[in-house]
Amino acid sequence: MNPAYPFSAVVGLADLKLALVLNAVSSRVGGVLVRGEKGTAKSTIVRALAAQLPRVAVVAGCRFHCDPGAPDPGCPDGPHETTAAGGADAAGALRAASLVELPVGASEDRLVGSLDLERALTEGVKAFEPGLLAAAHRGVLYVDEVNLLHDHLVDLLLDAAALGVCYVERETVSVRHAARFLLVGTMNPEEGELRPQLLDRFGLTVEVRATREPDERAEVVRRRFAFDADPEGFAARWAAEESALAARIARARAALGSVRLPDSRLRQITAVCAGFEVDGLRADLVTAHAAVAHAAWQGRDVVTREDVRVAARLALPHRRRRDPFDAPGLDERLLDELLDQTEPAAPDDPDNPEGPEDPDDSGGPGSGGSGGSSGSGAGDGAPAAPESAPEGGTEGARDGAPDGAAGPSEGTVSGDRPQDVAAAGAPFRVPVLKVAGVGAGVAGRRSSGRGRHGRTIGARVPTGAGPAGIDLPATLLAAAPHQLRRGRRGPGLVLRRDDLREPVREGREGNLVLFVVDASGSMGARRRMTAVKTAVLSLLLDAYQRRDKIGLVVFRGAGATVALPPTSSVEAGAARLRALPTGGRTPLAEGLATAAEVLRVERLRDPDRRPLLVVVTDGRATSGGDVTRAAAALAGVTSVVVDCESGPVRLGMAQALALRLGARVLPLESLGDLVRDRRKAG
């Protein structure tokens, strides 16, 4: 399916191929989420999948791609007459399975469809314009960078994928149509995570990463050169293998209904899901459907232990996250223990005993599943997660930063002495921090903002190249007084471009939350730094929930460093925070100056995203430049100073800094108490 990329060259690619195939065999599996670093063929292999899917028969002229053998009775283009499957009419309407791509910047209208405004306004008829969900029916819907898709679009997308139906209730249109498709999303975790409840809506997940073996990487380059030199010849060389794969998918689809899931295997599936403490029952359903699909793919008519194991490895890792800073993973030793504990005493089917896979499948997608039985996952590249991790997300193996993402090390700032790295505690809820005024940044959940989403508070003449949606009542009101003068003759309105009005919507925007953290010797007391890290971790969690970008500036020793440039990956921020050491002098002015430079550069990149500066310090400045001058460079930036000063005698230096910044002051020790006090007062 992806001959340009040998399986050995991308760790986890065999698992990805298997996950895609299982969804192609059974639409009930619920789609695939592909997580991995950039340049690992995620998009390439997904786009190649559609060509391997069996051709589908469609009703001629139906915009919703109804099946002639079983048309949707509620199809907006219906009713359709039922045609016997395989008949002449059905054969005449055969087409390849569609591959529809959903752009990150798509609107809700483009996704689900909307009123055909052109016909409504010019012909006076109410007609529905289908969206991408209709185009993807009975095909593949591919969302690249799904973690960057707006939350409300992700909700609509996953609801349709789960129900197999798209409901449209908007602008006097009430429509439902079938929307059954193979949903595939790809994402780079460095650019931000999906919410756990959205992760749960994807049936399977796969982690992919590039190999570090030079020979394997060279083979990828060699094949890419061969493709560029002769695309047709390259495709012909692999045509037989791809045809065999397509035929095998078709056979597995046809056999799916005859596969039996014994009660003993169903109990084994539910015991595994319970043993891994996943939330809800969706994991049980997905694992069961995936196990049945894998049995059909392997040519078996009864689900075996191996089918259950393969399905669990793909369906459970992303459902084990307990907080947003957890990385998906699965302890395969625990999986084998749970399977052993619940293994039936006798074979489920004497005519089909469990045993080794067909050796002829060693190079195909089935090998990705059977390879997982090794326990370590080394053969298929799926990294095993740590055996256990604290619920609070504070210590343990998962605290380490990813490659290239380590926090400032002990030699990065001169004058530091080696010190232990304090651990952070479990995060708590923090007060809501907002940027004053109304912005125009990307949709989020923090400050007031105007954009494409939110409640409509008025209408205006379009300000850009085209309207950001149409405010129908306002457009009609603008056009109505001119109909006689324009010579209207008929039911439709005579419109001009200057009649168009777009809605003005007010909702919430996401901000850039830039943390400036004092990691000097004055913060070095272990209990104190633990409290600081816990507070910042709690603020990071709040930023994650409110869809903010975050950045991290650390000052200690002789200067300040940008520990994390502005990013949507709150996980990366948490990893660098946990690895943050302390020691040295306190160059407060350098920390503020570095923050000002970060905000200046980010303002050029994303001028609509407003910043929120969070300075975590006790206010001391034992080295460096002029604090007053550095604070002046941050004039106009909404700021918060988290006062870390402790002890019976306090000098009020953090409060003095807050005055210079025009910032709100939050005492460190009361950061978590503010929310509790408000609840009691309410």
Side-chain angles (χ1 to χ4, degrees):
M1 185 159 56
N2 184 21
Y5 281 82
F7 287 125
S8 59
V10 178
V11 179
L13 195 57
D15 271 353
L16 172 55
K17 185 176 178 182
L18 178 60
L20 291 171
V21 163
L22 294 183
N23 275 272
V25 171
S26 173
S27 61
R28 294 180 180 273
V29 173
V32 184
L33 176 65
V34 189
R35 298 164 44 91
E37 58 195 24
K38 52 188 176 292
T40 49
K42 299 188 299 292
S43 301
T44 303
I45 194 170
V46 171
R47 291 189 175 98
L49 172 68
Q52 315 307 317
L53 297 180
R55 296 170 67 84
V56 295
V58 298
V59 174
C62 177
R63 298 174 298 166
F64 302 87
H65 312 304
C66 281
D67 182 354
D72 177 14
C75 177
D77 284 356
H80 304 301
E81 293 184 3
T82 302
T83 304
D89 291 342
L94 280 176
R95 66 163 177 79
S98 58
L99 172 65
V100 176
E101 296 191 38
L102 174 62
V104 169
S107 65
E108 185 175 335
D109 290 349
R110 187 75 185 98
L111 178 63
V112 301
S114 64
L115 177 69
D116 189 333
L117 289 173
E118 182 178 352
R119 294 190 62 191
L121 296 175
T122 59
E123 301 176 24
V125 298
K126 184 168 68 174
F128 178 68
E129 181 69 23
L132 294 176
L133 292 180
H137 180 45
R138 305 174 68 202
V140 179
L141 182 61
Y142 171 49
V143 189
D144 194 14
E145 306 295 354
V146 65
N147 51 324
L148 304 182
L149 199 65
H150 288 306
D151 287 344
H152 74 288
L153 292 182
V154 175
D155 289 334
L156 290 170
L157 177 64
L158 295 178
D159 282 343
L163 298 173
V165 178
C166 175
Y167 293 93
V168 185
E169 300 286 345
R170 54 186 303 140
E171 295 155 347
T172 74
V173 173
S174 179
V175 171
R176 62 155 298 278
H177 64 81
R180 294 184 297 276
F181 46 81
L182 195 171
L183 175 63
V184 183
T186 59
M187 59 174 284
N188 183 349
E190 293 178 359
E191 297 173 342
E193 274 289 357
L194 279 172
R195 290 178 288 161
Q197 58 267 42
L198 297 182
L199 277 173
D200 183 54
R201 299 295 291 275
F202 281 94
L204 310 179
T205 187
V206 178
E207 291 268 356
V208 296
R209 54 187 173 84
T211 180
R212 299 296 184 258
E213 289 295 326
D215 291 343
E216 294 171 348
R217 297 170 74 98
E219 180 62 20
V220 174
V221 177
R222 197 174 294 119
R223 291 193 188 184
R224 180 56 193 252
F225 276 13
F227 173 81
D228 291 340
D230 183 11
E232 293 183 1
F234 186 86
R237 191 185 317 161
W238 297 92
E241 181 178 320
E242 294 195 343
S243 296
L245 176 62
R248 188 176 174 190
I249 291 175
R251 289 196 302 270
R253 275 189 176 184
L256 186 67
S258 61
V259 176
R260 183 168 59 91
L261 176 62
D263 245 13
S264 58
R265 293 300 173 196
L266 178 57
R267 286 194 298 272
Q268 192 171 46
I269 289 171
T270 56
V272 167
C273 294
F276 278 110
E277 299 181 347
V278 296
D279 295 329
L281 294 173
R282 186 174 283 119
D284 306 62
L285 291 167
V286 169
T287 305
H289 285 305
V292 171
H294 189 262
W297 173 247
Q298 295 296 337
R300 293 190 280 266
D301 58 4
V302 63
V303 173
T304 66
R305 172 198 170 104
E306 179 60 23
D307 300 320
V308 173
R309 189 183 195 283
V310 169
R313 286 181 57 250
L314 297 173
L316 299 185
H318 61 301
R319 293 185 163 90
R320 298 194 61 240
R321 299 180 71 190
R322 285 293 176 265
D323 66 58
F325 306 132
D326 287 344
L330 192 72
D331 182 352
E332 296 200 22
R333 285 178 294 180
L334 176 58
L335 173 60
D336 288 328
E337 289 175 9
L338 292 170
L339 290 172
D340 290 340
Q341 292 170 7
T342 55
E343 183 65 18
D348 296 313
D349 187 349
D351 297 327
N352 189 17
E354 300 177 19
E357 302 290 352
D358 184 350
D360 292 338
D361 292 336
S362 59
S367 63
S370 60
S373 62
S374 62
S376 67
D380 51 37
E387 282 191 57
S388 61
E391 290 295 316
T394 61
E395 298 181 76
R398 71 183 182 193
D399 287 348
D403 291 344
S409 63
E410 288 298 339
T412 55
V413 182
S414 61
D416 293 347
R417 293 180 300 171
Q419 295 187 21
D420 292 335
V421 176
F428 49 80
R429 289 194 59 185
V430 296
V432 179
L433 306 176
K434 298 180 181 179
V435 178
V438 180
V442 298
R445 297 186 175 184
R446 184 173 295 279
S447 307
S448 296
R450 290 179 183 170
R452 291 179 175 269
H453 314 293
R455 61 186 181 91
T456 301
I457 61 172
R460 66 185 177 192
V461 176
T463 55
I470 300 293
D471 189 301
L472 188 57
T475 299
L476 296 178
L477 287 173
H482 310 292
Q483 295 306 296
L484 291 178
R485 180 166 53 82
R486 294 175 183 175
R488 172 183 168 183
R489 300 288 187 273
L493 290 176
V494 179
L495 288 177
R496 294 181 179 173
R497 187 172 183 81
D498 56 7
D499 295 329
L500 294 179
R501 298 292 184 271
E502 65 181 8
V504 177
R505 296 189 175 98
E506 185 168 310
R508 295 288 174 185
E509 67 173 1
N511 299 114
L512 167 61
V513 182
L514 181 61
F515 295 92
V516 181
V517 179
D518 183 351
S520 64
S522 66
M523 306 286 287
R526 191 169 184 83
R527 290 182 59 187
R528 190 175 180 192
M529 200 59 197
T530 294
V532 168
K533 287 190 175 184
T534 303
V536 178
L537 191 67
S538 302
L539 291 164
L540 280 171
L541 177 60
D542 181 67
Y544 167 86
Q545 293 169 338
R546 299 186 186 280
R547 312 296 179 261
D548 297 316
K549 288 181 72 173
I550 58 108
L552 179 61
V553 172
V554 176
F555 60 94
R556 59 189 284 262
T561 58
V562 180
L564 183 69
T567 176
S568 296
S569 178
V570 181
E571 279 186 330
R576 307 219 180 170
L577 175 70
R578 289 180 176 129
L580 181 65
T582 58
R585 294 168 292 177
T586 312
L588 176 57
E590 279 68 16
L592 298 178
T594 302
E597 178 61 17
V598 170
L599 295 180
R600 184 190 69 80
V601 173
E602 194 64 18
R603 195 175 294 116
L604 296 175
R605 293 175 177 168
D606 190 356
D608 290 333
R609 190 183 288 269
R610 298 187 294 162
L612 173 64
L613 183 69
V614 180
V615 184
V616 184
T617 181
D618 58 8
R620 289 183 173 87
T622 60
S623 69
D626 186 352
V627 174
T628 301
R629 179 180 298 178
L634 293 165
V637 177
T638 301
S639 305
V640 175
V641 174
V642 178
D643 185 358
C644 300
E645 194 172 20
S646 61
V649 178
R650 304 195 180 193
L651 303 178
M653 293 181 178
Q655 299 208 14
L657 173 63
L659 288 175
R660 295 189 183 103
L661 293 172
R664 176 183 177 184
V665 180
L666 293 176
L668 175 65
E669 64 272 13
S670 64
L671 199 57
D673 296 332
L674 292 175
V675 173
R676 290 190 288 270
D677 292 343
R678 287 176 183 172
R679 287 177 180 169
K680 292 177 182 178

